[in-house]
Amino acid sequence: LAKTTQPISMDSYEGQEVNITCSHNNIATNDYITWYQQFPSQGPRFIIQGYKTKVTNEVASLFIPADRKSSTLSLPRVSLSDTAVYYCLVGDDNNAGNMLTFGGGTRLMVKP
Amino acid sequence: EAGVTQSPTHLIKTRGQQATLRCSPISGHTSVYWYQQALGLGLQFLLWYDEGEERNRGNFPPRFSGRQFPNYSSELNVNALELEDSALYLCASSRTTASLGDTQYFGPGTRLTVL
C-alpha cells in the first residue's frame, strides 16, 4: 500500500515561502500525487496534482523527484488565510481495485 | 458548473438508529467516494462507487453501506449508530478512478452527531 508520511505541523509567517514534503515510498507506476487544503468543518479543496518533475499553477508548485518517492508542495508568500491542514494524496492500487489513502495531513499555522 | 452537493448539512441521531446521507456528484463524474473524518483527525476512506457498483471499501464494519444510483448520485447508510460514528462525512466525485490522474472534488460534508 502506498502510504504517505507528512510532518504533523508547521509554522510560518506571512509573506514567507512554505514547503511541505510528503513521503510515499511505495507509490505505484500509475499513481498521481495530489494535494488538498482543508479548513475546519469544510471539504478538502484541490490545490495541485502531478506525476513527475514540476507542476505549477496560480496557487502552488509541486516538485517531484525522479524516483517519485516523495513530493514537495511549495506555497509562495503565504498569508493568514493559508492557515489550514494540507493533505497529500497518492492513488493506491491493489488487487481489489483502487483504494485512495490520505496522509495524516500537515497543520500549517501562518502567523502575522 | 455545480460542485458536489451533500445533504443534509447536519444530522442528529441517537444511538442505535440509522442514518442516511446523500451525495450528488459533479455532472459527468461517474465515481463517488465516501470518507469519514472524526473531529480533529484525518480523512478515512469508507467506500468507492463507480458506474453503480461498489468497487472498494475501507476498514469499516458492514453496518456502513451505500449504493450508487443510475444518475450517479449516492447514498451512505449507517445502521445501528454508535457514539463514535459522530463525524464529518465527506463525499467526493471524479470522472474515473482518481489514481489515473482524475482529481477528486469534495462536497461540503454532512456533520453527523450521535447522542
Side-chain angles (χ1 to χ4, degrees):
Chain A
L1 299 179
K3 294 187 178 180
T4 61
T5 304
Q6 303 174 234
I8 295 175
S9 64
M10 294 181 69
D11 289 344
S12 183
Y13 291 93
E14 281 190 293
Q16 288 188 330
E17 178 184 76
V18 171
N19 295 309
I20 306 173
T21 297
C22 177
S23 297
H24 28 79
N25 291 322
N26 296 325
I27 188 170
T29 303
N30 290 337
D31 288 340
Y32 279 70
I33 301 155
T34 311
W35 285 80
Y36 289 86
Q37 175 194 56
Q38 188 181 29
F39 299 109
S41 297
Q42 295 185 25
R45 182 177 75 98
F46 170 81
I47 301 175
I48 197 166
Q49 184 182 72
Y51 184 81
K52 62 180 179 180
T53 64
K54 177 183 175 182
V55 180
T56 297
N57 61 22
E58 64 278 5
V59 176
S61 294
L62 179 60
F63 299 92
I64 305 169
D67 65 7
R68 302 199 331 121
K69 293 185 177 182
S70 67
S71 59
T72 299
L73 173 71
S74 181
L75 304 172
R77 299 180 298 281
V78 294
S79 63
L80 297 177
S81 62
D82 292 319
T83 293
V85 178
Y86 292 81
Y87 288 97
C88 168
L89 172 64
V90 177
D92 189 356
D93 199 359
N94 59 35
N95 290 334
N98 295 320
M99 185 170 74
L100 300 161
T101 305
F102 274 79
T106 298
R107 190 171 300 274
L108 173 66
M109 174 68 73
V110 180
K111 302 175 183 178
Chain B
E1 179 184 271
V4 177
T5 59
Q6 292 185 246
S7 62
T9 304
H10 294 89
L11 188 58
I12 299 175
K13 294 286 187 177
T14 56
R15 199 168 46 183
Q17 285 188 314
Q18 179 199 40
T20 299
L21 289 65
R22 296 179 177 83
C23 171
S24 291
I26 292 172
S27 177
H29 286 190
T30 62
S31 275
V32 170
Y33 309 82
W34 288 95
Y35 294 86
Q36 181 197 63
Q37 187 173 35
L39 191 62
L41 299 180
L43 284 79
Q44 300 296 317
F45 170 74
L46 259 169
L47 289 160
W48 167 38
Y49 291 95
D50 184 60
E51 295 286 355
E53 299 287 330
E54 180 181 305
R55 300 298 183 182
N56 209 347
R57 64 182 292 129
N59 188 26
F60 282 85
R63 59 191 185 82
F64 286 84
S65 65
R67 53 181 171 169
Q68 186 178 35
F69 299 100
N71 66 355
Y72 303 113
S73 66
S74 178
E75 207 172 74
L76 174 68
N77 295 294
V78 188
N79 294 319
L81 285 166
E82 300 178 2
L83 296 178
E84 53 265 33
D85 295 334
S86 295
L88 181 67
Y89 288 83
L90 292 159
C91 172
S93 73
S94 71
R95 285 182 295 168
T96 59
T97 57
S99 72
L100 298 179
D102 282 318
T103 305
Q104 288 186 62
Y105 294 92
F106 284 82
T110 292
R111 171 70 64 186
L112 173 63
T113 301
V114 183
L115 303 175

